[in-house]
Amino acid sequence: MRIGCWAAFWGDTPRAAEQILTVPDLDYMVGDHLAEITMALLARARAKDPEAGYVPDSVGVLAKILPTLAERGIKVVTNGGALNPAAAAQALRDAVEQAGLSLRVAAVEGDDVLPMGEALLAAHPGDLFTGVPIPAGLSTMNAYLGATPIARALDAGADIVVTGRCVDAAVVLGPLLHEFGWSEADYDLLSAGSLVGHIVECGPQCTGGLHTDWWAVPGWENMGYPVAEVRRDGTAVITKPEGTGGLVTPATVSEQILYEIGDPGAYVMPDVVCDWREVCLEQAGPERVAVSGARGSAPTRSYKVCATHQDGYRVIATALFAGLDAAGRARRAGEAMVARSGALIAAAGHEPLGDVSVEVVGAGDLVGDAFRPDTAAEAVLKIGLRHPRREALELFAGEFAPLALVAMGMTGGFAGRPRVAPVFAVYHLLADKTRVPVTVALEGETTTVPIAPGERDAPSASPELPRGGADAPGRGESVPLRRIAYGRSGDKGDKANVGLIARHPELAAVIRDQVTPERVAAFFAHYDCGEVRGWELPGLHAFNFVIDAVLGGTGGTSTLRYDAQGKSYAAMLLGVPVVVPAEWDRLLPD
C-alpha cells in the first residue's frame, strides 16, 4: 500500500496535493487538517454560519484534482469535515457532479457529542490533564473517533471519506484496515498502522522539516511531503516524492515519532494502546527509512473528548525596538502599557485585567536565565492581555500605537491596531464508547458502525525515568546537548512534550544520566512549570519528557505566550551543557 499525506494542518500549502500525485502507483491520499486550535477556530465560524464548520481547504484542493483521482483510482481520506462533515461531503459531491464524474463520497459522523454534553458533565468531571472543573455552556464537544468507521466507509465502496474529529493517525489506519483486512484484535498491527499514521500526519515534519540539523536539510523551498509504503505485516518504509527537497533519515523520522506522544509505552488511541518503546528505524536506501517494532494492546472503553468554551477575550500586540538599550526600553514600554490599560479599564468601571503577559523577545524572556544576554540591541516587545469583556481590551488596543510617542525607537507595528479576539479554552474529558453512536452516510444511506467497546478503563503506565540531580557531572568535556542529541517538541493543552534522540547509541547513557526530569524542570523554571516526567524508548535510543502546566493556558487559543504550543522548547533545551568523556569526540558532530 502506498499512501501519501497531502495536508498537515488547516492552511497547509495546496500544492502538496499536486506533489503527492507525482508518486507512481499511489493508492491513497490522506489529509490531516485538525488540531485543538483548529476546532476552536471553526467553532467561531460555525457560530456565525451553521453551514460552516468544516475546513474549506480540504474541499477546494480536492475539487481541482478530482479528474486525476478518478483516472488513477486513487482514494482519499480527510478529516477536513471537522465540525460539519456532512456539509463538507456534500460540497465534494457537488464538485464531483460538476466535474461529470462518478466518485462516491462518504461522511463519517458521530464525533459531535455536544448533544449529550449535559449527561457527560453530570458527574462534574475535571479536565483530564489539569483537573480543572469543566464549565457548562461549552461551544463544542468532539470525541476522537478511530479508524474503524473509515474502514467501513471504504468497505461500502467510498472513493472519498470525509470525517469529523478523529485521531490524526486514523486517516492512515482506516485504509490499512480496509485493504489488509486487519481485525480489531490485531493489536500489534493496529499499533504499527497507527505509528505510520503518526509519522506522516504532520507532513514534512518527518521528511526534514523542523530537523535539529536544519543546515543539513536541502530544498526548503520545495520540501517533500511524506509517502508511506506499508506492508501487510505492518512494517513500512517512509519516503518522499522524487526530486523534492527535504531529508528522510532515521533522525528525521525519530523526531516525528516522539512528537507529542506522552508515555511512549502507553500512547492511547481509540483502536489500540500503542507501545512504541522498541520501534526500530533503518536507512533502507536514499530517502527511505524502514519502520518496525510497534506493539499494541487492547484499547480503553472511552473516547477522549475535546471540548471548547468561550472564556472571555484576549489581545496580543508586538512592536520592534532597536539600538542601544533596546531590551530595557521595550520592557519599560510593556510595563507602562499594562499599567495605563489597567487604570483606564478601572476608570471605565470594568473588573481588573485577568492574565497579563509581557515578553521581551531578544532579552531572554523565552529561553530563561541559561541564555539571557547581557545586552540586546534588537528586541521585540509582546504584550498579551485577557479580560472577560471585549470593551475593556479595546481600550488597550486604542492606546497601543500612541505609546510610540513615549517609547524611544518603538516601531514595527505592521499589523496595525491590535485585534481583540475571543478566547476559546480547551478541555478534555472521557466518553464511554458504547454511548457514542458512529455512522457512515454514503449515497443517501446512513449506516451505524459497530465499535469495539474496549477492555479496560485506562492503560498501565510505563516505567518512568528515575529521579536525579539537576547538575551535570564536572569531569570530561562539556558540550551543548545538541552535540549528542536531536530534539523535537510540541504541546498537549497546557503540557509540552520534549523528545530527545541520541545521535549514537553510546550517547544515550549520557542523556539518561544527565538530562533528568529534575534538570528539565530546572531549565524551564522561568515558566513556573509543574511536574516533569520522562520515559525511555530503547529502540530509538531516545527519551520523551512531558512538562506539566508550562504553556500558560488550556490550549493555543487561550494562552498569551509567544510560543503558544511549545514548538521552541526542544531547541532551547538542546543548549544545556552535558559532559562526555573526551575520547568520545569522534562521535560528536561539529
Side-chain angles (χ1 to χ4, degrees):
M1 287 260 317
R2 189 169 281 147
I3 303 173
C5 176
W6 60 276
F9 68 102
W10 180 18
D12 204 348
T13 171
R15 293 166 184 82
E18 300 169 5
Q19 183 197 93
I20 289 296
L21 284 175
T22 66
V23 175
D25 301 322
L26 189 69
D27 297 299
Y28 281 84
M29 293 178 60
V30 299
D32 172 27
H33 301 270
L34 302 184
E36 292 176 341
I37 288 179
T38 311
M39 300 297 280
L41 295 174
L42 289 170
R44 290 163 55 181
R46 191 178 66 172
K48 298 176 182 177
D49 179 4
E51 295 302 313
Y54 65 86
V55 178
D57 300 16
S58 64
V59 174
V61 171
L62 289 176
K64 296 177 181 179
I65 62 173
L66 289 174
T68 303
L69 297 175
E71 179 184 355
R72 295 177 56 184
I74 299 170
K75 297 187 177 183
V76 173
V77 179
T78 171
N79 62 12
L83 297 178
N84 202 343
Q90 187 56 52
L92 279 169
R93 293 188 192 105
D94 294 343
V96 167
E97 183 177 357
Q98 291 173 10
L101 302 171
S102 57
L103 297 173
R104 291 159 291 186
V105 182
V108 174
E109 296 185 279
D111 63 293
D112 184 1
V113 295
L114 189 61
M116 61 181 77
E118 186 174 338
L120 291 175
L121 297 179
H124 306 289
D127 179 83
L128 286 178
F129 301 128
T130 65
V132 173
I134 298 175
L138 295 170
S139 302
T140 62
M141 293 181 76
N142 292 85
Y144 285 75
L145 302 183
T148 298
I150 296 171
R152 299 295 85 84
L154 294 168
D155 293 346
D159 300 296
I160 300 173
V161 181
V162 180
T163 79
R165 202 17 159 160
C166 61
V167 290
D168 300 342
V171 297
V172 169
L173 182 57
L176 298 178
L177 291 174
H178 165 68
E179 297 286 347
F180 291 148
W182 295 346
S183 82
E184 294 177 340
D186 289 331
Y187 299 132
D188 286 350
L189 294 175
L190 298 180
S191 178
S194 297
L195 175 60
V196 174
H198 175 74
I199 291 171
V200 305
E201 70 193 26
C202 292
Q205 283 191 189
C206 71
T207 59
L210 310 189
H211 185 36
T212 302
D213 293 352
W214 54 270
W215 59 88
V217 181
W220 280 23
E221 68 278 4
N222 184 33
M223 287 290 287
Y225 276 63
V227 176
E229 299 171 359
V230 192
R231 304 179 185 91
R232 189 176 297 273
D233 66 359
T235 60
V237 169
I238 306 300
T239 184
K240 63 184 182 67
E242 187 175 352
T244 60
L247 189 66
V248 184
T249 67
T252 65
V253 176
S254 291
E255 287 174 334
Q256 178 58 24
I257 290 176
L258 266 69
Y259 187 59
E260 299 181 353
I261 61 172
D263 182 346
Y267 187 32
V268 180
M269 299 282 196
D271 306 287
V272 62
V273 174
C274 301
D275 183 349
W276 294 341
R277 290 173 294 175
E278 298 297 338
V279 166
C280 293
L281 303 178
E282 180 183 357
Q283 195 77 50
E287 312 298 351
R288 294 176 64 82
V289 169
V291 184
S292 62
R295 298 290 179 263
S297 58
T300 64
R301 296 187 178 94
S302 301
Y303 288 121
K304 184 176 79 170
V305 174
C306 174
T308 62
H309 176 258
Q310 185 171 343
D311 187 19
Y313 298 85
R314 69 176 177 176
V315 62
I316 297 177
T318 62
L320 171 69
F321 289 74
L324 291 174
D325 304 321
R329 287 183 278 117
R331 194 175 307 282
R332 175 76 183 274
E335 293 169 350
M337 195 66 228
V338 170
R340 179 173 177 80
S341 299
L344 293 173
I345 288 170
H350 300 299
E351 63 184 86
L353 285 166
D355 293 342
V356 173
S357 174
V358 175
E359 292 177 307
V360 180
V361 182
D365 287 8
L366 273 69
V367 295
D369 291 338
F371 305 107
R372 193 180 298 276
D374 294 333
T375 61
E378 298 175 345
V380 173
L381 167 66
K382 184 229 70 186
I383 305 173
L385 307 175
R386 281 186 58 178
H387 196 278
R389 300 187 64 84
R390 179 188 291 272
E391 311 91 87
L393 296 184
E394 292 290 358
L395 293 171
F396 165 86
E399 294 289 324
F400 183 70
L403 185 63
L405 303 176
V406 178
M408 176 184 176
M410 174 178 161
T411 183
F414 299 112
R417 180 187 174 109
R419 185 174 66 88
V420 179
V423 167
F424 279 88
V426 178
Y427 299 94
H428 304 88
L429 64 155
L430 298 176
D432 188 327
K433 289 178 180 175
T434 61
R435 298 178 60 186
V436 180
V438 180
T439 62
V440 170
L442 177 64
E443 296 187 324
E445 182 177 349
T446 299
T447 305
T448 299
V449 179
I451 302 295
E455 298 183 11
R456 49 184 170 166
D457 292 330
S460 300
S462 303
E464 296 184 20
L465 292 174
R467 306 289 167 174
D471 297 320
R475 298 180 60 185
E477 179 182 357
S478 178
V479 300
L481 179 59
R482 189 178 71 180
R483 292 280 303 278
I484 71 167
Y486 305 103
R488 174 67 59 81
S489 60
D491 77 307
K492 285 290 185 185
D494 199 24
K495 299 177 184 287
N497 281 238
V498 180
L500 300 174
I501 306 105
R503 290 179 179 268
H504 297 276
E506 298 96 323
L507 297 171
V510 177
I511 301 173
R512 185 187 307 111
D513 294 341
Q514 298 183 35
V515 189
T516 62
E518 283 78 6
R519 195 171 185 208
V520 174
F523 181 84
F524 289 103
H526 61 291
Y527 283 138
D528 193 26
C529 67
E531 181 187 16
V532 176
R533 293 166 294 153
W535 295 267
E536 185 169 3
L537 294 83
L540 298 176
H541 315 295
F543 303 84
N544 194 52
F545 297 92
V546 174
I547 311 168
D548 289 344
V550 72
L551 292 172
T554 57
T557 53
S558 65
T559 181
L560 299 176
R561 296 275 177 79
Y562 214 108
D563 183 356
Q565 297 177 283
K567 302 293 188 181
S568 64
Y569 283 20
M572 291 192 284
L573 187 63
L574 287 171
V576 304
V578 292
V579 176
V580 299
E583 61 269 22
W584 284 15
D585 187 69
R586 62 182 175 81
L587 297 175
L588 309 183
D590 294 333

